[in-house]
Amino acid sequence: MTGHDSKRLILKTVLLATAACLFGAAASASHAEAAYPNKPIRVVVPFPAGGAVDTFVRIIGPELTTQMGQPIVILNKPGGGSQIAAADVLSSPADGYTVFVGQTGDFSVNPILYKNITYIPARDFDGVSMLVRAPQVMLANVSGKINSLQSLKQTMSSPDGIVLYGSFGPGTAPHLLGHILSRSASGAKFTHIPYKGFPPAMQAIMTKEIDLLFDAVPGTLNMMRTGKVVPLAVADSSRNSHLPNVPTTAEIGLPSLVMDFWIGVAVKKGTPRELINRIHDAFEKAVSNPENWKKFSELGYSRVSMTPEQFDSAVRAETSKIKPVIVEAGVSIE
């Protein structure tokens, strides 16, 4: 064998070995994806136990376990405008074993609201699906100075009118909706009163410390049905099946006063599409389980079903819609 032939043989051997390694790695990765899941799946929730998102996940947890064939471990990571939970997800491998479940604010509001936020959904997450939604409702005290649409309109048009509206904190949906409502006031002065979460804000409306409070249907449906608070309007373009006799904000001449509370699922950017589709199907089936859906319907949710691509588009669209409202309201958090 000549020296030239020897070099050609060595080169051929190296190329074949390299190809074998690449093929083996690809086959190994393919096998890992095909075997998915083969260990427990962590579902990270950016809120404390007992909240709306946590309750949602715990309701579907048993069916998720059935669908995935592996235990579902729910981890509550509240705080920091969902940044603590997001950091947990982003520090984990993009392998489908860590899933983020959050609500409207986590995906569409926080990236605008927080000046130094450490996660951007469009940059850091791959959407899985939006699963349920519920519109916000304008609530008042039954015996308060504003307890009907007529008294609301009179107060808003009066030069001496004063409207105190509550929220669960700066930048939350009730704050933003109250700000949008204030735009339509021809005379009244609106003042935002932030509270630390739902319980103190609801207590404030019950004791007439504030005049108005927006909240999503699931949070106050029973209170509305029992007459503890009066719903003035549903912040949506169409009437809600749970509150068929309550007009929409569009019907009362406030078409821009529209905002949903919704729950969605995402994973770390770069998760293989096959795994995203697998997670998507599992969540969809878990929510659609008749027993589970009966519970969600009774709570006041409406069903939403989106592909991963549709969910990503919906988040981008909502972020664009909410950004100018937050900027105009002048609210930001360090």
Side-chain angles (χ1 to χ4, degrees):
M1 180 183 295
T2 66
H4 180 69
D5 290 337
S6 178
K7 289 180 180 179
R8 288 181 60 187
L9 180 58
I10 293 171
L11 179 59
K12 183 177 180 180
T13 302
V14 170
L15 290 174
L16 286 172
T18 302
C21 288
L22 291 174
F23 177 79
S28 177
S30 177
H31 176 72
E33 290 177 18
Y36 174 86
N38 55 26
K39 64 180 181 179
I41 296 168
R42 304 164 70 248
V43 176
V44 182
V45 177
F47 300 100
V53 178
D54 176 75
T55 299
F56 173 85
V57 174
R58 292 185 189 279
I59 287 175
I60 65 173
E63 183 62 23
L64 270 180
T65 295
T66 298
Q67 292 296 327
M68 299 301 285
Q70 291 291 336
I72 300 298
V73 181
I74 301 170
L75 300 173
N76 298 95
K77 300 269 185 171
S82 302
Q83 295 182 80
I84 295 174
D88 183 293
V89 176
L90 299 181
S91 65
S92 303
D95 58 4
Y97 287 100
T98 303
V99 179
F100 180 89
V101 179
Q103 47 97 336
T104 316
D106 307 313
F107 290 96
S108 303
V109 178
N110 290 353
I112 306 166
L113 185 63
Y114 286 81
K115 284 185 177 181
N116 301 309
I117 195 161
T118 54
Y119 78 98
I120 304 295
R123 180 194 68 198
D124 300 324
F125 289 155
D126 279 324
V128 174
S129 186
M130 184 188 296
L131 298 169
V132 294
R133 66 175 287 270
Q136 302 282 338
V137 183
M138 188 194 309
L139 304 169
N141 186 294
V142 178
S143 59
K145 72 176 183 182
I146 299 175
N147 60 3
S148 66
L149 288 176
Q150 182 179 1
S151 58
L152 173 65
K153 291 178 180 179
Q154 289 175 345
T155 302
M156 288 179 64
S157 61
S158 171
D160 300 321
I162 294 176
V163 179
L164 303 180
Y165 68 97
S167 79
F168 312 143
T172 58
H175 178 201
L176 300 179
L177 284 167
H179 176 77
I180 295 172
L181 179 63
S182 71
R183 294 173 177 171
S184 302
S186 57
K189 177 183 178 182
F190 275 66
T191 300
H192 171 225
I193 311 294
Y195 294 89
K196 293 183 178 180
F198 173 81
M202 185 51 63
Q203 179 67 19
I205 197 75
M206 296 292 290
T207 58
K208 294 186 278 191
E209 185 176 305
I210 55 176
D211 303 308
L212 297 175
L213 176 68
F214 286 88
D215 190 34
V217 172
T220 50
L221 183 57
N222 287 334
M223 299 183 75
M224 289 185 276
R225 286 174 172 169
T226 56
K228 293 182 179 179
V229 291
V230 55
L232 301 184
V234 177
D236 205 351
S237 56
S238 58
R239 292 211 177 192
N240 185 264
S241 60
H242 302 284
L243 301 167
N245 297 321
V246 181
T248 67
T249 47
E251 289 179 78
I252 65 172
L254 299 168
S256 63
L257 198 64
V258 173
M259 190 173 293
D260 279 349
F261 171 88
W262 49 258
I263 295 177
V265 185
V267 292
K268 184 177 179 179
K269 181 75 75 175
T271 300
R273 179 57 54 175
E274 294 82 359
L275 305 191
I276 292 176
N277 292 339
R278 178 80 172 83
I279 297 167
H280 173 275
D281 291 346
F283 271 91
E284 290 284 341
K285 290 175 181 176
V287 175
S288 298
N289 174 286
E291 184 178 337
N292 289 342
W293 183 245
K294 183 175 184 292
K295 294 176 183 178
F296 293 135
S297 181
E298 289 173 349
L299 286 171
Y301 287 108
S302 297
R303 184 75 166 93
V304 185
S305 182
M306 291 186 180
T307 65
E309 294 77 14
Q310 289 171 331
F311 181 45
D312 283 335
S313 296
V315 170
R316 287 194 296 269
E318 186 147 20
T319 301
S320 297
K321 175 184 172 183
I322 291 175
K323 184 174 182 178
V325 178
I326 293 176
V327 172
E328 183 181 282
V331 56
S332 65
I333 300 174
E334 294 292 341

